[in-house]
Amino acid sequence: MSEKPAWPEIARKKREALLDAIPEKWRLTSEISSAQEQRDITGLFIEQYLSPREVEITNSNAVFIVKNTTTGAWKAREVLEAFCHRAALAHQMVPCLHEIFFNDALAEADALDTHYRTHGQPLGPLHGLPISLKDQLNIRNIDTTTGILSLIANRNTNPSSSSPSPPLSHNPTTLSPPSESTLVTLLRSLGAIPYVKTATPTASFASDTSSNLFPSPPFPPALANPLNRLTSAGGSSGGEAALLALHGSPLGFGSDIGGSIRGPAALCGLVGLKPSQGRLPFLGIERLGDGQGAGVGFVVGPLGRCVEDVGMVVREVLGWEPWRWDPDVVEMGWRGEVFEGVRRRALEGKGEERLCFGVLMDDGVVRPQPPARRAIEMVVKAVEALGHRVVEWKPPDHRKAISLQTGEPAPATLAGTFGNSPTTPSSVRDVQSHNIATRTYRADYLTYWRSTASLTGTGRPVDAIIAPTSPYASPLLGKMRYVGYTAAYNLLDYSVCVIPVTKAEKDVDKYEDGYEALGEQDRVCFEEYDAEAIDGAPVGLQIIGGRLQEEKVLALAEVLEKAVKDVGQQDRPAGKL
């Protein structure tokens, strides 16, 4: 019996296979400048390798793309080929992809174009939309490794996974191979085209994106943020966020169990939605700790360049009644009347329509660094300019929520969470105690939320919460240490949308002399702050609603997304702490 190759050799061959999947004409002939010389590789930098037509297509948002592909103005193949080219360039600049299957995707695009010519109408509302997927979602005939090298070339061997691609259909029941995640099947039935799977940390469970596929050294200790390569793209949906920031994708899906959609979205200047459990289909998606019946669970959600794009794909997926395929999905379609009603009230901000937002200034563990603090001030200013009120949000101790979360060597990011050796399993009694403590914390949080009715001036409790996504603009590579601002809302299972707010500015965002830290974690956050190095890194904030309030948070996020841009054009506050 031959010995299995050592993990470094497996990783090397996989990296070579990824490059081999890129057409020769799209390969870079020389290395790009170092991160110190060229921090930001988005926009004009990556576009120097593209044609004007490719730039036009790839800089378009998803809503605009489907407006053109569903009317026949743009061909699916032309759109997909432009994004394949840009994704190939993106991966060669920062290793953000785990799987590349351009040829299969282009064949699907050709079939969609044939369908339109034959029938004179699109296959579905997402006809011809390229869509990227985190390497946690199963796609027929494609590996799913979640950054674990031993799973490379370990495709599902059931007959469906090796059978030819089924014919195009607008009926998802004909597109349900057992080897494919339900969400992927539904996206295909809507006309979307998967073409890449994006990088995750090992087991898709870390706040930075690093694995033995791209080990450090020679690679950086974490996937670099394309807007400032000295800083992190976050995790665990970091590959998805990096690709979207480079416009190598118009829209993608990641997963979230402690901030894995929201963190990367905020760090890379994107919009990300963490829905409540049971709103979007998770059936057939790989997860760490599958079989946990209670407590905190993974959810899947979209990342995009604007709230409108994210809202569109949620609306269309829910329109296919995913509860008919995934038994864990709540039977609740898109509530357009809720979205429009909240949006109207958010825009008007008068009389009984006036809203009140709770603002979490800090969680008592780690204060936001100056750029994140300034972002909070900007959103508060935007809310007040719309005619709404704000009150300080002082909920039950978030430290309690955080305490309730919780051969091939483990990378540092994973070993730091789980260690390098097996641990003693929890007893049934331990699990019961944990679940009771979780339920009690959730009840205490609701009690506090109801109590805010005495503070808001509207006669109602706070309508939504505004909170940091993390203490950072974007931390330096390997310095992503704290996820408490996102993890608390996984435990609570609240609906959350992240919006981009501003960027770090070295001459504005400074701590005041004599800063006193809250504790050890806050001290480390303070000492590792480097205004010069993180200059230009994005900052995003969370818009938080209750459970299953996706329409509400998307409506508020859409209004605030525009309002905060208006504020950003005005004079900025000092941003000091």
Side-chain angles (χ1 to χ4, degrees), residues 10 148-152 154 408:
I10 296 173
I148 299 173
L149 297 180
S150 61
L151 296 181
I152 291 174
N154 192 27
E408 172 189 342

Side-chain angles (χ1 to χ4, degrees), residues 62-76 79 112-113 115-116 120-129 190-192 312 316:
V63 169
F64 186 76
I65 290 170
V66 297
K67 179 180 178 181
N68 283 281
T69 54
T70 57
T71 58
W74 288 2
K75 298 293 189 290
V79 171
L112 285 169
D113 287 336
H115 176 94
Y116 196 94
Q121 63 182 16
L123 177 70
L126 303 184
H127 181 100
L129 179 68
L190 292 164
M312 173 190 71
E316 298 301 347

Side-chain angles (χ1 to χ4, degrees), residues 292-345:
Q292 301 175 123
V296 180
F298 272 111
V299 293
V300 65
L303 296 88
R305 302 180 203 162
C306 62
V307 178
E308 185 182 23
D309 286 354
V310 167
M312 173 190 71
V313 75
V314 172
R315 181 180 68 245
E316 298 301 347
V317 168
L318 292 178
W320 266 114
E321 301 181 346
W323 52 87
R324 295 168 55 202
W325 288 271
D326 184 342
D328 290 329
V329 174
V330 177
E331 189 172 340
M332 181 187 294
W334 174 257
R335 295 169 294 180
E337 72 285 356
V338 173
F339 178 87
E340 292 300 335
V342 172
R343 185 176 178 276
R344 176 182 54 78
R345 291 176 62 197

Side-chain angles (χ1 to χ4, degrees), residues 123-146:
L123 177 70
L126 303 184
H127 181 100
L129 179 68
I131 198 154
S132 51
L133 302 168
K134 183 179 182 178
D135 187 22
Q136 197 178 346
L137 283 80
N138 284 305
I139 300 175
R140 59 177 183 250
N141 302 324
I142 304 296
D143 282 345
T144 300
T145 69
T146 63

